Amino acid sequence: SNACVLNSCTTPNPTNATLTTGVPTTPNQLWQNSNSGNPCYFVCNANYTINGSNCTDQTAPTGGNFTIPSTTSSTSITLTITCPTDAAGSTPIQVAYGNTASPTNWTTCTSSIAHTLTSGDGTKTVYVRFKDNLGNTTGDVSRNISLINARLDHSRSEEHTSELQSQ
């Protein structure tokens, strides 16, 4: 018979895989029993790949994003986060954020995160990235924001006003 007999094709039994009869034909398939009378193999489920003798999630979460205002007069801003999903279901999703690329201050992903920009007027870049509980990490998502220091602008306008009054 060419049918896979389940009780002779179950050790090792990788998680996140499906037992299939026949001969493996792609890299994402793992021999289970190469006996010509009972060939069996495991196929890693969608979003999983072979890692040694197991099928593991090696895909970063997708769909993560964030928004910030285009301008601000304060170094304190709020990041509005869209937490990504992980096709393999690895949770919790974590987020890291910062003023430099590839931030590593991982925390559980939430929809709103307080963040402090670097001081000084000008364009600032904020970076965010996401990872699942297996460490599969996305690339950076970045957004620019213009920091205009309102206190300095206010004092300049006061100085200008007093100069006009003294003339």
Side-chain angles (χ1 to χ4, degrees):
S1 161
N2 205 17
C4 187
V5 179
L6 290 179
N7 62 359
S8 66
C9 288
T10 56
T11 304
N13 184 1
T15 57
N16 306 308
T18 304
L19 182 63
T20 304
T21 62
V23 177
T25 57
T26 69
N28 209 35
Q29 298 171 346
L30 180 66
W31 269 114
Q32 187 56 14
N33 179 343
S34 59
N35 179 321
S36 62
N38 188 32
C40 307
Y41 63 94
F42 284 98
V43 177
C44 292
N45 296 341
N47 304 304
Y48 291 86
T49 56
I50 289 178
N51 182 10
S53 62
N54 287 304
C55 297
T56 58
D57 171 13
Q58 296 180 348
T59 305
T62 58
N65 210 339
F66 78 105
T67 59
I68 54 177
S70 58
T71 61
T72 183
S73 60
S74 172
T75 56
S76 297
I77 63 169
T78 298
L79 312 179
T80 302
I81 306 285
T82 301
C83 295
T85 57
D86 188 76
S90 297
T91 57
I93 300 296
Q94 293 191 311
V95 60
Y97 54 95
N99 298 314
T100 57
S102 301
T104 59
N105 58 331
W106 297 107
T107 186
T108 300
C109 195
T110 60
S111 62
S112 180
I113 295 176
H115 176 64
T116 303
L117 299 170
T118 56
S119 61
D121 286 357
T123 300
K124 309 296 179 180
T125 303
V126 178
Y127 300 87
V128 169
R129 61 187 185 146
F130 304 93
K131 76 175 178 178
D132 63 21
N133 69 338
L134 297 174
N136 300 311
T137 305
T138 66
D140 288 342
V141 178
S142 63
R143 300 282 177 265
N144 291 329
I145 183 170
S146 294
L147 176 60
I148 302 166
N149 192 320
R151 188 167 30 98
L152 290 178
D153 290 344
H154 181 68
S155 64
R156 283 189 205 121
S157 62
E158 283 180 12
E159 289 170 10
H160 182 69
T161 303
S162 62
E163 287 174 17
L164 289 175
Q165 289 173 346
S166 64
Q167 290 179 350

